[in-house]
């Protein structure tokens, strides 16, 4: 019984660690965003900036759909143009091929959050 409760507790902590991811500015290596569940927060003030709504990232205050992730690319919702690309653990500007951010938890959500912050 003790072993089972220890395992459950360990799995809970692993889940909690994965639920929070960070985005770093590529040039300064400063943490700028924190992804906590369905919300994207400013790292220094913990103010909610964006939230996830299905495949979209939306502005927190206005609920305006900004971007979506499709096939490794970040697509701007207003004109359906590719604006960024996920390249391993980095977000790359699609037009200049310049690295913008390092993603602590590479994936669609981190890529959307970084693109919304840097390119929107």
């Amino acid at each position: 019984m003790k072993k089972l409760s220890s395992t459950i507790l360990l799995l809970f902590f692993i889940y909690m660690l994965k639920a929070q991811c960070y985005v770093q500015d590529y040039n300064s290596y400063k943490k700028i965003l924190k992804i906590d569940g369905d919300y994207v927060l400013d790292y220094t003030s913990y103010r909610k900036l964006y939230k996830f709504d299905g495949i979209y990232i939306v502005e927190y205050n206005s609920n305006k759909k900004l971007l979506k992730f499709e096939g490794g690319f970040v697509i701007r919702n207003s004109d359906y143009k590719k604006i960024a690309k996920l390249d391993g653990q980095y977000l790359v500007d699609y037009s200049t091929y310049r690295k913008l951010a390092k993603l602590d938890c590479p994936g669609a959500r981190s890529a959307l959050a970084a693109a919304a912050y840097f390119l929107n």
Side-chain angles (χ1 to χ4, degrees), residues 50-90:
Y50 310 104
K51 64 181 176 178
F52 297 102
D53 182 17
I55 63 170
Y56 294 97
I57 190 166
V58 299
E59 285 183 359
Y60 181 72
N61 292 328
S62 69
N63 284 328
K64 179 183 174 189
K65 290 181 181 177
L66 301 174
L67 308 167
K68 70 177 182 175
F69 191 80
E70 189 175 286
F73 296 97
V74 177
I75 313 284
R76 189 172 33 227
N77 192 49
S78 61
D79 59 4
Y80 303 106
K81 289 192 176 183
K82 294 177 183 176
I83 62 168
K85 175 184 168 184
L86 182 61
D87 184 14
Q89 64 181 3
Y90 298 102

Side-chain angles (χ1 to χ4, degrees), residues 17-62:
L17 287 173
K18 288 188 176 205
Q20 298 178 359
C21 295
Y22 299 97
V23 174
Q24 294 178 344
D25 184 317
Y26 179 74
N27 294 322
S28 68
Y29 296 106
K30 252 178 63 173
K31 289 182 181 177
I32 53 171
L33 299 174
K34 177 181 178 182
I35 301 165
D36 190 8
D38 285 339
Y39 297 97
V40 179
L41 302 111
D42 179 75
Y43 182 74
T44 55
S45 69
Y46 290 105
R47 184 174 54 98
K48 291 179 181 175
L49 302 174
Y50 310 104
K51 64 181 176 178
F52 297 102
D53 182 17
I55 63 170
Y56 294 97
I57 190 166
V58 299
E59 285 183 359
Y60 181 72
N61 292 328
S62 69

